[in-house]
Every structure is written in C-alpha cells, then in structure tokens.
C-alpha cells in the first residue's frame, strides 16, 4: 500500500496516466532528496523517545550509508520492536506510520528531483494491474478509482480504435506501440475487469488481443516486438528474456492463456502453449532471466478454475459470493460477474447460464465444464477448495 500510495503521490498525471520516472539527482547531488542525518531526524521528531524508537527501526548513523548521510533502511521487524519496547505487535505499524508521516511532511519542503513526465503504455499497464488487484483484495475503493481513471486515460488518449500508440506527453500521443504495450495492457484490463466487472474492459482486452495476433504474430512461433506496418528495420526484433520489466512475448503468452480461459477460444492456447514449451530449456538453464515466463508456465500447468457469478453486483447476496471468492488471493482463477441476463459484450464464460431460484448464483468451472451451481457462499468456498480432477 505504501508503494502504491507513493505512485499516486509522486508519479500520477492529473488525467490518470503514470509518469515514467523520477530523477536520481536533486540540486546536483545524487539522492539528496531522500537522504537523512541523525540531527535532521531528531529535529523533526522532537521527542527523544520517538527518535530512539525510530532509530531502532531504521538504519541511522553519523557516518551514514550513502555519501555521508543515510538511506533509511528497515533493520528491525515489528515483532522485534514490540519485544524491545514492551508494545503489542499491532501497535508498531501505527506508531511508525505517524513518525514517517512527520518526516515526509518535512521532506516535501526540499527541492524535489525532476520528473520524466512521459506516459508509456506498457509501464502504465503494469501499474494498472497492480492497482486493480490491490483494489480487489485489499478492499480499497480509492485504488479502484485510480485504476479506472488510468484505463480510461490509456484507451482515450493512446488508443485510436485500430491501433495502440506507445507514449504520451503534454497532450500528444506518439509512436506505434510495441508488443509489450499490447500484451501488458490486455493483462491490466483483465485485472481491472475482475475488480469492477465493467464489460468494456473485457471488450477492449479482446480487441487488443485480436490486433496483437493480427499485427505482431510470427507464423513460425510467438510474436515480433514490432507491428507488421512499423518503420522498416534491418531485422524485425523478438526479445525473449525478461529483464527489469517482462518481455513482450512472456506477457503475450500470459495474456493469451487468460483470454482463452475467459472465452473458450482454444486457438489462442494453440499459440501460447508452443511458446511456453520452446522457452523451457532456456528457463531451466537461467531462470532469473525468465521470471515472467515461469509465471506463465506455472499458470498453464495450474489448470485454472473459472468462476462465473450471475447477479447484480450491488446486491448483498451477490456481494457475499464475491467476498467468498476474494477473501484470499487466488492467482489461478478467473472471475466473471454480471447481472442476469449477461450482456452480449460480457465474457462468454457468463453466457448460457441461469440463476437458481432467481437468486445470485455462482458457477465454478474448469474448461467451461461446471460443478453444480450454488447460491451459498459456504458451498462456493468448498467448491473452490476442490482439487480439479484429471
């Protein structure tokens, strides 16, 4: 939550996009905006007891750990601090949070580092996914609004209807999107759909997926990084290693797995599965360079459960079913929800299903073959706990 709050505070454009980065330097010195001396911390916190408590939690010395000052790094966890100061573990985060807020207010008086204010689709899409999942599992409606505004921004400012553009700055979108932009945005929109169940996110994901296949696919295997109508290059690139951010092909494989699970379109699995098979020897030899690929392989082997809930999401009975699903993180499930009857642009997983006794009803399925429908949150939890049969 602190990381997401930082992104909102420091890296968000008023229209909903996320900036690329902050400079490392301020006032000509690397890291100056973020560094602390013991004297400065003591002056901000005032109370010696607060200062002692903070120094027990974070690295802080006269010598410093960077350029004669301190990057504040946590050195004692909540349990250690509670034992040392005779407090309940549950009290530690609250007390530390108050001290950090005082330091933050003081830091905001400094000259901040410069901001790289261009908005890139792929990086925004990764953030969109993070905010959407946090909204869903942490019950944070403010995060949901941030995610919705980000998706609206990307689709209105960087998507022309027949192509996605890569970068936006000062009201102008430029450059053809790359594979990583398409694939990451598909995943981000699917995560947002599972947080608010607005079918336009699913519809946009489906359109982007078809465009990705039409314009980036390599008939031999996988996808190229550039569109088929991109500026001519000496060779058409195809990056297969995950680095600081996932590569386009690993994102595309994950996107195809999820879209196939939602739609029942096995032709998309026919594209993704050979990609996963081909990358396994390299991933075995050097797994650290194939992290997102390994997530995709894990997803393919996990055999997803599909959860379809028919019922107005605003009704308490529907919400009880959703609470059962969302009470724990379920990475190997997909969720589709709509009022009855589902709209044409709702995911196919919802179609051709009925409600029991006109009550909100849940279906737990595997490859579109479902267990008995239920209106009971307790029975739904039991069905989710079942190990899929071979």
């Amino acid at each position: 939550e602190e990381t997401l709050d930082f992104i909102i505070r420091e890296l968000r454009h008023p229209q909903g996009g996320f900036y690329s980065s902050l400079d490392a330097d301020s006032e000509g010195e690397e890291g100056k905006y973020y560094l602390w001396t013991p004297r400065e911390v003591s002056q901000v916190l005032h109370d010696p007891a607060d200062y002692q408590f903070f120094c027990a939690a974070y690295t802080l010395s006269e010598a410093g750990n960077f350029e004669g000052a301190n990057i504040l790094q946590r050195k004692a966890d909540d349990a250690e601090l509670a034992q040392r100061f005779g407090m309940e573990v549950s009290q530690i985060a609250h007390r530390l949070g108050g001290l950090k807020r005082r330091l933050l207010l003081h830091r905001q008086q400094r000259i901040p580092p410069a901001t790289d204010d261009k908005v890139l689709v792929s990086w925004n899409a990764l953030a969109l996914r993070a905010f959407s999942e946090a909204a869903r599992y942490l019950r944070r409606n403010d995060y949901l609004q941030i995610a919705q505004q980000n998706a609206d921004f990307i689709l209105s400012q960087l998507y022309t209807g027949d192509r996605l553009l890569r970068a936006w700055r000062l009201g102008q979108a430029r450059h053809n999107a790359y594979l990583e932009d398409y694939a990451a945005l598909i995943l981000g929109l699917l995560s947002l759909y599972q947080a608010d169940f607005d079918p336009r996110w699913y519809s946009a994901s489906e359109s982007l997926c078809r465009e990705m296949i039409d314009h980036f696919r390599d008939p031999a295997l996988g996808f190229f990084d550039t569109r088929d109508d991109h500026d001519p290059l000496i060779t058409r690139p195809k990056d297969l290693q995950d680095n600081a951010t996932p590569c386009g092909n690993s994102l595309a494989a994950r996107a195809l797995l999820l879209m196939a699970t939602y739609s029942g379109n096995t032709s998309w699995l026919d594209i993704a599965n050979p990609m996963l098979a081909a990358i396994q020897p390299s991933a075995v030899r050097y797994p650290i360079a194939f992290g997102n690929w390994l997530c995709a392989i894990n997803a393919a082997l996990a055999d997803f459960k599909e959860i379809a809930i028919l019922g107005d999401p605003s009704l308490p009975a529907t919400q009880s079913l959703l609470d059962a699903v969302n009470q724990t993180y379920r990475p190997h499930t997909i969720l589709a929800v709509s009022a009855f009857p589902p709209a044409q642009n709702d995911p196919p997983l919802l179609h051709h299903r009925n409600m029991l006794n006109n009550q909100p009803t849940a279906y737990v399925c595997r490859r579109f073959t479902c267990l008995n429908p239920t209106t009971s949150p307790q029975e739904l939890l039991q069905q989710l706990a079942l190990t899929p049969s071979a």
Side-chain angles (χ1 to χ4, degrees), residues 27-48:
E27 301 181 72
E29 297 182 28
E30 184 176 1
K32 182 175 182 179
Y33 186 71
Y34 301 102
L35 299 177
W36 298 88
T37 64
R39 180 181 178 184
E40 190 176 19
V41 172
S42 177
Q43 289 175 339
V44 173
L45 297 183
H46 302 299
D47 186 343

mmCIF file of all heavy atoms in Angstrom, residues 27-48:
data_model
loop_
_atom_site.group_PDB
_atom_site.id
_atom_site.type_symbol
_atom_site.label_atom_id
_atom_site.label_comp_id
_atom_site.label_asym_id
_atom_site.label_seq_id
_atom_site.Cartn_x
_atom_site.Cartn_y
_atom_site.Cartn_z
ATOM 1 N N GLU A 27 19.228 19.147 -6.850
ATOM 2 C CA GLU A 27 20.222 20.162 -6.516
ATOM 3 C C GLU A 27 21.639 19.713 -6.878
ATOM 4 O O GLU A 27 22.615 20.037 -6.197
ATOM 5 C CB GLU A 27 20.149 20.520 -5.027
ATOM 6 C CG GLU A 27 18.787 21.054 -4.589
ATOM 7 C CD GLU A 27 18.769 21.409 -3.115
ATOM 8 O OE1 GLU A 27 19.395 22.430 -2.750
ATOM 9 O OE2 GLU A 27 18.150 20.665 -2.349
ATOM 10 N N GLY A 28 21.724 18.900 -7.944
ATOM 11 C CA GLY A 28 23.016 18.463 -8.441
ATOM 12 C C GLY A 28 23.668 17.351 -7.659
ATOM 13 O O GLY A 28 24.818 16.985 -7.942
ATOM 14 N N GLU A 29 22.976 16.759 -6.699
ATOM 15 C CA GLU A 29 23.549 15.690 -5.888
ATOM 16 C C GLU A 29 22.656 14.452 -5.959
ATOM 17 O O GLU A 29 21.437 14.543 -5.800
ATOM 18 C CB GLU A 29 23.701 16.133 -4.430
ATOM 19 C CG GLU A 29 24.655 17.295 -4.233
ATOM 20 C CD GLU A 29 24.794 17.660 -2.769
ATOM 21 O OE1 GLU A 29 24.621 16.762 -1.920
ATOM 22 O OE2 GLU A 29 25.055 18.839 -2.470
ATOM 23 N N GLU A 30 23.295 13.306 -6.158
ATOM 24 C CA GLU A 30 22.532 12.070 -6.263
ATOM 25 C C GLU A 30 21.889 11.718 -4.927
ATOM 26 O O GLU A 30 22.548 11.670 -3.886
ATOM 27 C CB GLU A 30 23.436 10.916 -6.708
ATOM 28 C CG GLU A 30 22.673 9.620 -6.929
ATOM 29 C CD GLU A 30 23.553 8.498 -7.467
ATOM 30 O OE1 GLU A 30 24.765 8.725 -7.658
ATOM 31 O OE2 GLU A 30 23.023 7.405 -7.696
ATOM 32 N N GLY A 31 20.591 11.484 -4.965
ATOM 33 C CA GLY A 31 19.869 11.010 -3.796
ATOM 34 C C GLY A 31 19.600 12.045 -2.718
ATOM 35 O O GLY A 31 19.023 11.706 -1.678
ATOM 36 N N LYS A 32 19.966 13.302 -2.932
ATOM 37 C CA LYS A 32 19.881 14.284 -1.849
ATOM 38 C C LYS A 32 18.466 14.405 -1.281
ATOM 39 O O LYS A 32 18.291 14.570 -0.071
ATOM 40 C CB LYS A 32 20.362 15.651 -2.343
ATOM 41 C CG LYS A 32 20.358 16.723 -1.260
ATOM 42 C CD LYS A 32 20.947 18.045 -1.740
ATOM 43 C CE LYS A 32 20.957 19.072 -0.616
ATOM 44 N NZ LYS A 32 21.541 20.364 -1.047
ATOM 45 N N TYR A 33 17.462 14.305 -2.139
ATOM 46 C CA TYR A 33 16.079 14.472 -1.691
ATOM 47 C C TYR A 33 15.676 13.420 -0.662
ATOM 48 O O TYR A 33 14.821 13.660 0.189
ATOM 49 C CB TYR A 33 15.154 14.399 -2.907
ATOM 50 C CG TYR A 33 13.702 14.693 -2.631
ATOM 51 C CD1 TYR A 33 13.272 15.972 -2.324
ATOM 52 C CD2 TYR A 33 12.750 13.678 -2.691
ATOM 53 C CE1 TYR A 33 11.936 16.247 -2.077
ATOM 54 C CE2 TYR A 33 11.409 13.944 -2.460
ATOM 55 C CZ TYR A 33 11.006 15.220 -2.151
ATOM 56 O OH TYR A 33 9.683 15.490 -1.915
ATOM 57 N N TYR A 34 16.321 12.248 -0.704
ATOM 58 C CA TYR A 34 15.873 11.113 0.110
ATOM 59 C C TYR A 34 16.777 10.828 1.307
ATOM 60 O O TYR A 34 16.497 9.903 2.076
ATOM 61 C CB TYR A 34 15.801 9.858 -0.761
ATOM 62 C CG TYR A 34 14.853 10.008 -1.926
ATOM 63 C CD1 TYR A 34 15.340 10.263 -3.211
ATOM 64 C CD2 TYR A 34 13.478 9.916 -1.752
ATOM 65 C CE1 TYR A 34 14.468 10.416 -4.286
ATOM 66 C CE2 TYR A 34 12.606 10.068 -2.820
ATOM 67 C CZ TYR A 34 13.108 10.318 -4.081
ATOM 68 O OH TYR A 34 12.245 10.478 -5.140
ATOM 69 N N LEU A 35 17.876 11.559 1.468
ATOM 70 C CA LEU A 35 18.858 11.246 2.500
ATOM 71 C C LEU A 35 18.564 11.981 3.810
ATOM 72 O O LEU A 35 17.994 13.070 3.814
ATOM 73 C CB LEU A 35 20.257 11.608 2.006
ATOM 74 C CG LEU A 35 20.731 10.866 0.747
ATOM 75 C CD1 LEU A 35 22.101 11.381 0.323
ATOM 76 C CD2 LEU A 35 20.773 9.364 0.994
ATOM 77 N N TRP A 36 19.021 11.350 4.915
ATOM 78 C CA TRP A 36 18.768 11.900 6.244
ATOM 79 C C TRP A 36 20.023 11.824 7.103
ATOM 80 O O TRP A 36 20.790 10.866 7.002
ATOM 81 C CB TRP A 36 17.645 11.128 6.948
ATOM 82 C CG TRP A 36 16.332 11.208 6.249
ATOM 83 C CD1 TRP A 36 15.863 10.383 5.264
ATOM 84 C CD2 TRP A 36 15.319 12.185 6.465
ATOM 85 N NE1 TRP A 36 14.617 10.778 4.860
ATOM 86 C CE2 TRP A 36 14.248 11.890 5.577
ATOM 87 C CE3 TRP A 36 15.196 13.278 7.327
ATOM 88 C CZ2 TRP A 36 13.082 12.635 5.519
ATOM 89 C CZ3 TRP A 36 14.028 14.023 7.274
ATOM 90 C CH2 TRP A 36 12.997 13.707 6.383
ATOM 91 N N THR A 37 20.177 12.810 7.967
ATOM 92 C CA THR A 37 21.193 12.758 9.004
ATOM 93 C C THR A 37 20.499 12.555 10.345
ATOM 94 O O THR A 37 19.324 12.905 10.515
ATOM 95 C CB THR A 37 22.008 14.059 9.052
ATOM 96 O OG1 THR A 37 21.140 15.147 9.422
ATOM 97 C CG2 THR A 37 22.656 14.348 7.695
ATOM 98 N N PRO A 38 21.215 11.988 11.324
ATOM 99 C CA PRO A 38 20.595 11.828 12.647
ATOM 100 C C PRO A 38 20.085 13.152 13.227
ATOM 101 O O PRO A 38 19.012 13.197 13.843
ATOM 102 C CB PRO A 38 21.734 11.252 13.489
ATOM 103 C CG PRO A 38 22.596 10.526 12.505
ATOM 104 C CD PRO A 38 22.544 11.358 11.263
ATOM 105 N N ARG A 39 20.845 14.233 13.020
ATOM 106 C CA ARG A 39 20.426 15.521 13.569
ATOM 107 C C ARG A 39 19.100 15.971 12.972
ATOM 108 O O ARG A 39 18.207 16.456 13.690
ATOM 109 C CB ARG A 39 21.512 16.565 13.298
ATOM 110 C CG ARG A 39 21.166 17.944 13.845
ATOM 111 C CD ARG A 39 22.263 18.950 13.519
ATOM 112 N NE ARG A 39 21.915 20.284 14.001
ATOM 113 C CZ ARG A 39 22.647 21.360 13.793
ATOM 114 N NH1 ARG A 39 23.782 21.275 13.110
ATOM 115 N NH2 ARG A 39 22.253 22.536 14.262
ATOM 116 N N GLU A 40 18.947 15.810 11.647
ATOM 117 C CA GLU A 40 17.710 16.250 10.991
ATOM 118 C C GLU A 40 16.524 15.432 11.471
ATOM 119 O O GLU A 40 15.440 15.973 11.753
ATOM 120 C CB GLU A 40 17.868 16.142 9.478
ATOM 121 C CG GLU A 40 16.731 16.787 8.690
ATOM 122 C CD GLU A 40 16.968 16.760 7.196
ATOM 123 O OE1 GLU A 40 17.804 15.958 6.729
ATOM 124 O OE2 GLU A 40 16.314 17.544 6.482
ATOM 125 N N VAL A 41 16.693 14.121 11.584
ATOM 126 C CA VAL A 41 15.594 13.267 12.060
ATOM 127 C C VAL A 41 15.224 13.652 13.487
ATOM 128 O O VAL A 41 14.037 13.744 13.842
ATOM 129 C CB VAL A 41 15.997 11.776 11.967
ATOM 130 C CG1 VAL A 41 14.931 10.895 12.635
ATOM 131 C CG2 VAL A 41 16.179 11.360 10.516
ATOM 132 N N SER A 42 16.242 13.886 14.312
ATOM 133 C CA SER A 42 15.979 14.265 15.708
ATOM 134 C C SER A 42 15.212 15.579 15.794
ATOM 135 O O SER A 42 14.286 15.726 16.605
ATOM 136 C CB SER A 42 17.308 14.378 16.463
ATOM 137 O OG SER A 42 17.098 14.808 17.784
ATOM 138 N N GLN A 43 15.559 16.532 14.936
ATOM 139 C CA GLN A 43 14.876 17.825 14.952
ATOM 140 C C GLN A 43 13.419 17.697 14.505
ATOM 141 O O GLN A 43 12.539 18.388 15.031
ATOM 142 C CB GLN A 43 15.620 18.810 14.050
ATOM 143 C CG GLN A 43 16.954 19.271 14.612
ATOM 144 C CD GLN A 43 17.717 20.147 13.638
ATOM 145 O OE1 GLN A 43 17.466 20.125 12.429
ATOM 146 N NE2 GLN A 43 18.675 20.927 14.150
ATOM 147 N N VAL A 44 13.154 16.820 13.546
ATOM 148 C CA VAL A 44 11.783 16.654 13.052
ATOM 149 C C VAL A 44 10.921 15.918 14.070
ATOM 150 O O VAL A 44 9.763 16.288 14.318
ATOM 151 C CB VAL A 44 11.790 15.900 11.705
ATOM 152 C CG1 VAL A 44 10.354 15.582 11.264
ATOM 153 C CG2 VAL A 44 12.492 16.719 10.634
ATOM 154 N N LEU A 45 11.480 14.887 14.704
ATOM 155 C CA LEU A 45 10.676 14.060 15.611
ATOM 156 C C LEU A 45 10.570 14.673 17.008
ATOM 157 O O LEU A 45 9.641 14.323 17.755
ATOM 158 C CB LEU A 45 11.273 12.651 15.697
ATOM 159 C CG LEU A 45 11.292 11.857 14.375
ATOM 160 C CD1 LEU A 45 11.827 10.453 14.606
ATOM 161 C CD2 LEU A 45 9.909 11.806 13.732
ATOM 162 N N HIS A 46 11.511 15.538 17.401
ATOM 163 C CA HIS A 46 11.480 16.270 18.673
ATOM 164 C C HIS A 46 11.630 15.351 19.891
ATOM 165 O O HIS A 46 12.608 15.430 20.614
ATOM 166 C CB HIS A 46 10.182 17.091 18.821
ATOM 167 C CG HIS A 46 9.960 18.079 17.723
ATOM 168 N ND1 HIS A 46 10.831 19.112 17.461
ATOM 169 C CD2 HIS A 46 8.942 18.208 16.818
ATOM 170 C CE1 HIS A 46 10.383 19.827 16.450
ATOM 171 N NE2 HIS A 46 9.247 19.305 16.034
ATOM 172 N N ASP A 47 10.665 14.502 20.123
ATOM 173 C CA ASP A 47 10.632 13.680 21.335
ATOM 174 C C ASP A 47 11.758 12.654 21.295
ATOM 175 O O ASP A 47 11.842 11.844 20.368
ATOM 176 C CB ASP A 47 9.274 12.980 21.421
ATOM 177 C CG ASP A 47 9.095 12.222 22.732
ATOM 178 O OD1 ASP A 47 10.093 11.968 23.423
ATOM 179 O OD2 ASP A 47 7.946 11.872 23.048
ATOM 180 N N PRO A 48 12.643 12.647 22.317
ATOM 181 C CA PRO A 48 13.735 11.658 22.343
ATOM 182 C C PRO A 48 13.241 10.211 22.289
ATOM 183 O O PRO A 48 13.903 9.344 21.709
ATOM 184 C CB PRO A 48 14.447 11.954 23.669
ATOM 185 C CG PRO A 48 14.145 13.392 23.942
ATOM 186 C CD PRO A 48 12.751 13.612 23.426
#
